[in-house]
Amino acid sequence: MLESDDPGPSPVDEVHQQYLDGGIDEAELERRLGILVDDRATTIRDMCDDVDGIGDELSRELADEFDTVADLQAADAEDLQRVDGIGDKKAEKLLEEL
């Protein structure tokens, strides 16, 4: 089987397609794009994405939940667990590595 050099659609393209398909409204489109392209959100995503078990989707959710890097770093386990998908173990991992 030949491997393709095409990495597929970017996260921004995927969000636009969801909007075009009617899966999300304009407000949700803007919120998601903000998370993907905002420098602050990008920094938070990059920090969290490096933590084992977090990954791209959870790092986006964390960037949506916390307004600044300082807010994220000041968070306790309970604050982190407000993000859907972050339980005890992932919260502890984030606290250790951030």
Side-chain angles (χ1 to χ4, degrees):
M1 175 181 274
L2 295 176
E3 291 191 31
S4 172
D5 290 334
D6 182 14
S10 72
V12 171
D13 292 336
E14 289 175 358
V15 169
H16 276 122
Q17 191 60 51
Q18 288 176 345
Y19 173 71
L20 293 173
D21 293 343
I24 59 174
D25 63 16
E26 187 172 349
E28 182 65 10
L29 171 69
E30 289 179 14
R31 184 189 74 79
R32 291 184 186 188
L33 288 175
I35 293 168
L36 291 170
V37 299
D38 180 293
D39 288 341
R40 172 214 49 91
T42 299
T43 301
I44 291 173
R45 286 188 4 252
D46 289 345
M47 289 172 58
C48 295
D49 198 27
D50 289 340
V51 175
D52 186 40
I54 298 302
D56 194 46
E57 187 171 329
L58 281 177
S59 67
R60 286 186 210 155
E61 295 295 326
L62 287 159
D64 188 37
E65 179 69 27
F66 296 96
D67 293 330
T68 66
V69 170
D71 289 344
L72 174 63
Q73 290 176 323
D76 61 17
E78 186 176 306
D79 296 330
L80 295 169
Q81 290 174 4
R82 286 193 315 246
V83 174
D84 191 35
I86 303 286
D88 293 336
K89 290 180 182 180
K90 288 182 182 176
E92 284 301 316
K93 199 74 152 148
L94 281 163
L95 291 171
E96 288 172 10
E97 298 200 26
L98 296 177

